Amino acid sequence: MSELPDFEGLAMFAKVAEERSFAAAARAMGVSIATVSRAVTRLEERLGGRLFNRTSRRLALTDYGHMLAERATKIYAEAEEAEDFARETSSQPRGLVKLAAPLSFGARWVAPLMPEFFRTYPDISVDLHLTDAHADLIGDGFDAALRVAILEDSSLFARLVAPVRRFVVASPTYLSRYGRPQHPHDLGAHQCLTYANRSKRDVWRFTHKNGEECPITPTGALRGTSVEALLPTVLAGLAITEPPEFIATQYFPGKQLEPILTDWRLPEGGLYFVTPTARARPAKVSALADFFIAKLGMAEWSAEAVMGWKQPNHRRK
């Protein structure tokens, strides 16, 4: 005997018992009469007893069938309830969403939006994981992630929320003491702080507005796993670094930091909402995606928004 119960046979038996007709049960379930008949016969053989007395004009439950019908009907009803619940859950925004986001960006831009999100979607709860480690969405069981990256080819599904540039910055104190670099090659004579958690050796790849390219390998006394680890040394006037736009621009209005080499650009990345797949995405994840795309797509951290700068167009062709 198979370990797995014959759920199909039990369901079709329950429907026949309810309708008192193979034909009516077949119509109700959208299958052929032959399919229903085979399922009931298979169940009878499996259980070792007749469930119906059949004649050309009449169908009646046997005593054995009466004993099983109530339980089979309960199984059928519970299966329908489970499917209805699953359909409703997938179409209505409710339930838990496990979301990963970068530490700095999440604390500054994601967490402050959560009160409005919960007011809009009171039936959704969120596990918000703020980390600069690269979250494995599938392996770690995340429903989605916000990522700031130059997105490479991936099996994941990503929606661009907003572009995110990187700026090379220094404090006015540093520039007055050590001079302002005029070309990326000049950075070789400067303290340039970099990130310790990049998968490859850190290279700053500059592109001039005239198309000239200039990669440089920065060197400095400090490497850190987050921009917060580097900023105190930079703000103290001891070094240069290249923070993302959503960090750098908050220091521009007060002139604590200044962008340098402004005729050059580093590769432009973006803020992405990433999910394991775009297919059959639950309503709760779609609601979260649409909310963040609407709120963060305005890129209030951009230099244009913060300083009113007009961004020159010198992207690589």
Side-chain angles (χ1 to χ4, degrees):
M1 181 175 177
S2 171
E3 293 183 1
L4 184 66
D6 186 355
F7 291 109
E8 181 186 61
L10 287 166
M12 291 190 175
F13 161 66
K15 201 64 178 175
V16 174
E18 177 187 345
E19 299 287 344
R20 292 295 192 268
S21 165
F22 278 80
R27 285 194 300 271
M29 292 185 289
V31 298
S32 68
I33 298 174
T35 298
V36 177
S37 180
R38 284 195 298 269
V40 172
T41 299
R42 182 181 69 243
L43 183 64
E44 288 176 325
E45 292 174 352
R46 176 189 176 98
L47 300 178
R50 290 184 62 81
L51 299 171
F52 294 103
N53 288 318
R54 306 171 178 88
T55 69
S56 59
R57 296 183 179 181
R58 190 170 180 271
L59 178 71
L61 284 165
T62 63
D63 291 340
Y64 183 62
H66 272 295
M67 288 190 297
L68 182 62
E70 183 178 349
R71 293 188 178 185
T73 299
K74 183 178 179 182
I75 291 171
Y76 187 89
E78 289 178 348
E80 283 188 318
E81 288 178 10
E83 287 194 351
D84 289 343
F85 173 78
R87 278 193 290 266
E88 184 181 0
T89 300
S90 66
S91 62
Q92 298 295 324
R94 62 161 54 92
L96 174 67
V97 179
K98 189 177 178 182
L99 175 71
L103 178 59
S104 302
F105 184 84
R108 174 65 181 84
W109 293 100
V110 177
L113 290 174
M114 297 313 300
E116 182 179 354
F117 177 80
F118 292 131
R119 285 192 292 267
T120 306
Y121 298 102
D123 293 328
I124 298 178
S125 56
V126 177
D127 277 359
L128 180 58
H129 294 249
L130 300 184
T131 174
D132 287 330
H134 193 74
D136 180 355
L137 263 65
I138 297 174
D140 294 334
F142 284 98
D143 297 294
L146 285 163
R147 285 185 177 166
V148 178
I150 300 171
L151 203 65
E152 300 176 353
D153 291 339
S154 172
S155 60
L156 304 175
F157 179 77
R159 291 175 64 182
L160 177 65
V161 179
V164 177
R165 291 163 290 184
R166 303 191 80 87
F167 288 91
V168 180
V169 300
S171 71
T173 301
Y174 182 92
L175 296 175
S176 64
R177 183 181 301 166
Y178 299 107
R180 182 182 294 270
Q182 301 299 314
H183 191 280
H185 287 312
D186 297 341
L187 294 174
H190 290 265
Q191 286 283 326
C192 296
L193 308 189
T194 62
Y195 298 95
N197 55 350
R198 288 187 172 165
S199 57
K200 299 178 182 178
R201 189 179 185 187
D202 207 358
V203 177
W204 295 357
R205 302 185 183 278
F206 291 91
T207 302
H208 194 268
K209 59 185 178 181
N210 65 12
E212 178 187 354
E213 298 182 0
C214 181
I216 69 109
T217 301
T219 58
L222 176 65
R223 299 177 72 216
T225 56
S226 69
V227 68
E228 285 83 3
L230 308 180
L231 278 174
T233 302
V234 176
L235 290 166
L238 300 176
I240 292 170
T241 194
E242 48 101 29
E245 189 171 16
F246 60 83
I247 294 291
T249 54
Q250 65 185 293
Y251 295 99
F252 291 170
K255 300 188 183 301
Q256 297 111 308
L257 295 176
E258 296 180 21
I260 61 176
L261 298 170
T262 54
D263 286 339
W264 297 80
R265 290 189 73 174
L266 293 165
E268 184 176 288
L271 171 66
Y272 294 89
F273 191 91
V274 183
T275 53
T277 178
R279 297 176 57 190
R281 188 163 62 186
K284 60 185 180 180
V285 177
S286 294
L288 194 69
D290 293 341
F291 177 83
F292 281 128
I293 289 169
K295 295 297 180 180
L296 299 174
M298 296 179 286
E300 295 180 9
W301 59 80
S302 70
E304 290 82 1
V306 174
M307 302 294 291
W309 292 354
K310 184 178 180 180
Q311 177 60 33
N313 183 12
H314 56 269
R315 298 188 185 191
R316 181 183 300 179
K317 298 180 179 179

